[in-house]
Amino acid sequence: MLRERIEAIAIDQPIYIAGLARSGSTILLELLARHPVTATHRYRDFPLVLTPWLWNWFVDRAGSRLQEASERAHRDRIKVTPESPEAFEELIWMAFFPQLHDPSMNAVLDGGDHNPRFEAFYRDHMRKLLALRGGRRYLSKGNYNVTRVRYLKKLFSDARFIVPVRDPVWHIASLIKQHRLFASWEGEDRRVRDHMRRSGHFEFGLDRQPVNIGDGRAAAEIAQLWNDGKEVAGWAAHWAGVYGHVARDLEDPELASTTLLVRYEDLCSDPGATLGAVLDHCGLADDGLTDIARETISPPTYYEPSFTQAERQTIRDRTGATARLFGYE
């Protein structure tokens, strides 16, 4: 139905935000989605994410009333409406790669992987969103894409990757906070758990799974630490594994040239300059976004890490070598 409409749409320098949850990826998505040339998924696209044109046609005609922005479930000061950008691309990956969230299976996709059905569908899906939203640059936030950068680079040689990273002490504190929140809600209401599964969110909650980055034993160890109640050690091992994978990817000069690391602390302390670097990396004009970043971004004040000295030492022991690669001492 849409073939003639989308076949002439070019996929030019798609932008991918990929890193562990709670690293600042949502803030970056919110800002870049404001740019007039970008197009991304929105909350309104769920649940029929794989048929965006028809589903949005229905939503537009269903008489939906305007909704005031409200703080999202994460309780992190970010307010959303059905028009807010959101990470729903994972549903497409799960449809074609059903093993990706099985911690016993290698979740890494690289230049040697090939899935013609997925690749054709994915390109058409990107074109649909560009046509639907009137954009020229596809924008994606997908935490799990951090394990697929090489594959995406093969599909789109001019893609731009943004990898947010955060001091492991604060990052792990935030992940633990979110896990406890969602595990509590899922225990009280089965619908919350069902939604997390359907939307491809296994980062925290009762169905939390470690990401297997090519080392099944490491993934099994993380799962066992969590099962034993050793939350800090499990998250520290997970942090080190994921960002160790990022560091190895960046040893490739070609991949490094298309990837920008964004430290959460830099984004909070100097949001204008940090976002300016992101825009430069993506080849996007400022369009007033650095001013918006200065006005809206600040360090979190709604929690503090409350780790014991022993827990802090566990974090240092498990993440220290990798954290130093990203400038954390």
Side-chain angles (χ1 to χ4, degrees):
M1 187 178 76
L2 294 173
R3 179 59 54 196
E4 291 185 5
R5 185 186 295 264
I6 68 173
E7 64 182 359
I9 295 177
I11 301 174
D12 179 37
Q13 293 184 302
I15 302 166
Y16 290 94
I17 304 169
L20 273 184
R22 314 304 303 159
S23 60
S25 54
T26 298
I27 300 171
L28 291 167
L29 175 67
E30 290 264 355
L31 288 166
L32 292 179
R34 289 173 176 255
H35 201 286
V37 306
T38 63
T40 191
H41 290 102
R42 300 178 185 174
Y43 278 89
R44 65 164 17 222
D45 295 326
F46 190 83
L48 302 187
V49 175
L50 275 67
T51 54
W53 191 275
L54 289 174
W55 175 242
N56 276 267
W57 181 92
F58 170 76
V59 170
D60 287 340
R61 289 158 178 79
S64 301
R65 59 182 177 84
L66 293 175
Q67 297 184 23
E68 291 187 9
S70 58
E71 187 176 30
R72 65 181 187 154
H74 302 68
R75 295 180 182 174
D76 55 5
R77 304 181 300 181
I78 296 176
K79 295 185 176 183
V80 297
T81 74
E83 302 302 324
S84 297
E86 176 57 323
F88 284 136
E89 190 185 282
E90 192 62 22
L91 277 75
I92 305 172
W93 292 90
M94 291 194 303
F96 289 89
F97 299 91
Q99 81 284 357
L100 288 177
H101 297 294
D102 180 348
S104 68
M105 303 290 289
N106 185 0
V108 176
L109 299 176
D110 58 27
D113 286 287
H114 187 49
N115 187 326
R117 291 181 62 246
F118 163 77
E119 292 162 19
F121 183 94
Y122 186 45
R123 288 188 173 96
D124 282 347
H125 184 84
M126 295 166 75
R127 293 186 180 103
K128 290 177 191 178
L129 278 189
L130 291 170
L132 184 65
R133 306 265 141 87
R136 299 196 306 273
R137 300 282 298 279
Y138 176 74
L139 169 63
S140 162
K141 174 207 162 187
N143 296 327
Y144 295 109
N145 281 341
V146 75
T147 62
R148 308 161 189 160
V149 171
R150 289 184 178 274
Y151 182 49
L152 288 166
K153 175 71 172 173
K154 184 186 79 167
L155 299 184
F156 311 105
S157 60
D158 60 353
R160 291 293 178 268
F161 301 99
I162 303 165
V163 179
V165 61
R166 188 174 185 179
D167 179 288
V169 172
W170 281 84
H171 201 166
I172 291 166
S174 182
L175 287 163
I176 289 174
K177 172 179 176 286
Q178 292 301 310
H179 173 66
R180 288 172 176 166
L181 278 175
F182 278 88
S184 174
W185 291 329
E186 290 171 3
E188 296 170 359
D189 189 340
R190 175 76 187 193
R191 293 172 299 176
V192 178
R193 189 174 187 180
D194 289 342
H195 174 76
M196 293 288 279
R197 288 175 172 173
R198 285 195 299 265
S199 57
H201 286 294
F202 302 97
E203 298 97 333
F204 27 72
L206 297 179
D207 292 306
R208 172 181 59 177
Q209 298 289 354
V211 178
N212 183 333
I213 52 173
D215 188 338
R217 286 185 297 180
E221 180 197 9
I222 294 167
Q224 189 61 54
L225 288 168
W226 284 336
N227 289 336
D228 293 341
K230 298 177 181 178
E231 288 287 309
V232 172
W235 280 116
H238 193 45
W239 190 99
V242 170
Y243 284 107
H245 172 77
V246 170
R248 290 190 294 276
D249 268 355
L250 295 181
E251 292 174 0
D252 179 345
E254 185 177 351
L255 201 57
S257 68
T258 59
T259 303
L260 179 69
L261 293 169
V262 178
R263 300 203 323 168
Y264 181 84
E265 298 75 23
D266 297 336
L267 183 61
C268 290
S269 63
D270 195 351
T274 305
L275 185 65
V278 171
L279 293 170
D280 287 344
H281 176 71
C282 296
L284 295 173
D286 185 290
D287 212 63
L289 293 183
T290 54
D291 288 338
I292 294 173
R294 292 187 188 98
E295 294 167 2
T296 57
I297 297 177
S298 61
T301 57
Y302 45 89
Y303 72 94
E304 289 278 349
S306 56
F307 299 130
T308 65
Q309 286 301 315
E311 289 171 331
R312 287 177 179 268
Q313 187 61 50
T314 295
I315 294 173
R316 282 193 292 269
D317 290 344
R318 287 187 175 270
T319 69
T322 302
R324 283 190 288 274
L325 298 175
F326 299 95
Y328 295 113
E329 297 299 334

